[in-house]
Amino acid sequence: MAFIKLYRKKLQENYAFLDTIFKSRNIQWGVVSKLLCGNKIYLKEIIALGVREIHDSRVSNLKKIKGLDPEIQTVYIKPPAKRSIESIVQYADISFNTEVYTIQLLSDEAVKQNKTHKIIIMIEMGDLREGVMGEELIEFYGTILKMPNIEVSGIGTNLNCLSGVMPTQDKLIQLSLYKQLIEAKFNISIPLVSGGTSVAIPLILKNARPMAVNHFRIGEALFFGKDLFTGNTIEGMHHDVFKLYAEIIEITEKPNTPTGELGENVAGNSFSMNDVTDLGITSLRAILDIGLLDMQPQYIESDDTDISIVDASSDMLVIDISNSKKTYKIGDLVAFKIRYMGALYLLNSAYIEKIIE
């Protein structure tokens, strides 16, 4: 068996750390829950922290959140698909938008449901994912301003998610200027300027964000405590809110080189003799009860630094335990640190048990 474990106390401490930072700077923030893949056990843990705003990219997950606590403000964090408009208006209080056509559909549906649907207009600022081009923003805003049952809650941007463009003070100043431009042109007030995700936290800690940028969406930093500029753990935070445990189902001394005619394995990879430094040597290998159906080996790392990952097939992971100072036996659990994408695979797998300590 294999399971992923959430450590409640570490999650609570990470949340308290972030909440203190944001409150001390008069910043609103919401938790991005898409990593949890709609798992109700873990969503309850998030809600128990006192979170009042949750962001997700799947409307089915927002439906679950509303079922657990109807008072939580739910935010759909990508441009809505045409075929999802009805459910987005029903389960998302706010959605991120970039298309006039889509906002018109949201307006029509909000009228049908007798609701006011809030939107945040996403602006393209260099990462080349979603966003209205800056030179088109005034015309865009003027068009949607006339639509019934639509309320513009703010503007925002997304950086580092596609092309790796990092948020800088200059980028956030530019975002602030868009707010000023719209407010001056239309004589209105824009409540929220959403400056990005966990990647912006180092700027916040340095007090380098413009005061007008008053909202952030945080996921990775909450669960992994990671400074995405340096790759290090933010001082005062935990990097291991989640851990993976997989059971050993075989231990055998085996050659380092396969025998027979070689082709591609199930993952489309081919064995290379260049990877073996000593063709005559054997190694003590253990097989774990987890495979590519559940995870990707490049996103996990054993707590035992003397263990190396050999490779994986669909249902099994092979590790080399030759150099370990521990004596492993059948049935032992091997613990792994997990990176963000590794947790995403694991939490999306129906075969991995999700537990809490």
Side-chain angles (χ1 to χ4, degrees), residues 204-255:
I204 298 169
L205 291 172
K206 294 174 186 175
N207 294 315
R209 57 112 199 169
M211 295 298 289
V213 180
N214 61 356
H215 182 269
F216 289 88
R217 302 98 58 188
I218 307 299
E220 188 165 0
L222 175 63
F223 299 115
F224 297 94
K226 192 172 182 180
D227 180 331
L228 294 173
F229 273 82
T230 66
N232 299 325
T233 302
I234 297 169
E235 186 176 352
M237 299 195 76
H238 301 284
H239 68 275
D240 54 352
V241 169
F242 286 110
K243 292 287 282 288
L244 168 66
Y245 296 87
E247 185 177 335
I248 297 175
I249 56 176
E250 177 187 301
I251 300 176
T252 308
E253 187 86 22
K254 293 188 178 183

Side-chain angles (χ1 to χ4, degrees), residues 38 57-65 76 87 91:
S57 57
R58 307 285 179 177
V59 69
S60 58
N61 296 342
L62 297 180
K63 180 179 180 180
K64 291 178 183 177
I65 292 162
Y76 185 76
S87 55
Y91 299 113

Side-chain angles (χ1 to χ4, degrees), residues 3 13 83-85 163 184 256-257 264 337 340-341 350 355:
F3 58 88
E13 290 174 356
R83 290 166 180 80
S84 301
I85 293 294
S163 302
N256 279 346
T257 56
E264 291 185 346
K337 305 178 189 71
Y340 180 89
M341 287 303 297
I355 64 176

Side-chain angles (χ1 to χ4, degrees), residues 81-198:
K82 178 180 179 180
R83 290 166 180 80
S84 301
I85 293 294
E86 182 179 353
S87 55
I88 285 170
V89 172
Q90 186 172 0
Y91 299 113
D93 299 307
I94 304 174
S95 62
F96 288 5
N97 282 270
T98 60
E99 291 284 348
V100 170
Y101 175 75
T102 303
I103 299 171
Q104 184 62 65
L105 293 177
L106 290 167
S107 172
D108 295 342
E109 183 59 37
V111 170
K112 285 182 187 178
Q113 294 189 27
N114 194 28
K115 296 175 72 173
T116 296
H117 184 72
K118 300 176 183 178
I119 65 169
I120 289 178
I121 301 169
M122 299 301 284
I123 303 171
E124 173 58 58
M125 298 190 66
D127 201 49
L128 304 180
R129 203 177 72 173
E130 82 280 15
V132 178
M133 298 303 291
E135 59 268 24
E136 299 171 2
L137 184 59
I138 293 299
E139 182 181 354
F140 182 96
Y141 195 94
T143 302
I144 64 173
L145 199 57
K146 306 167 188 174
M147 295 183 184
N149 294 57
I150 292 293
E151 177 184 324
V152 180
S153 291
I155 60 173
T157 194
N158 217 338
L159 296 167
N160 191 244
C161 287
L162 183 66
S163 302
V165 174
M166 303 299 281
T168 60
Q169 189 175 40
D170 286 345
K171 289 282 186 188
L172 296 186
I173 289 172
Q174 185 181 352
L175 187 62
S176 303
L177 291 174
Y178 283 130
K179 165 186 162 70
Q180 293 177 24
L181 185 64
I182 293 170
E183 289 180 335
K185 175 68 176 178
F186 297 101
N187 193 29
I188 56 162
S189 175
I190 295 178
L192 297 178
V193 179
S194 192
T197 58
S198 295

Side-chain angles (χ1 to χ4, degrees), residues 41-58:
I41 294 173
Y42 288 165
L43 285 173
K44 287 178 181 178
E45 291 297 314
I46 296 299
I47 293 170
L49 295 170
V51 174
R52 303 317 302 158
E53 179 178 301
I54 297 181
H55 300 232
D56 210 296
S57 57
R58 307 285 179 177

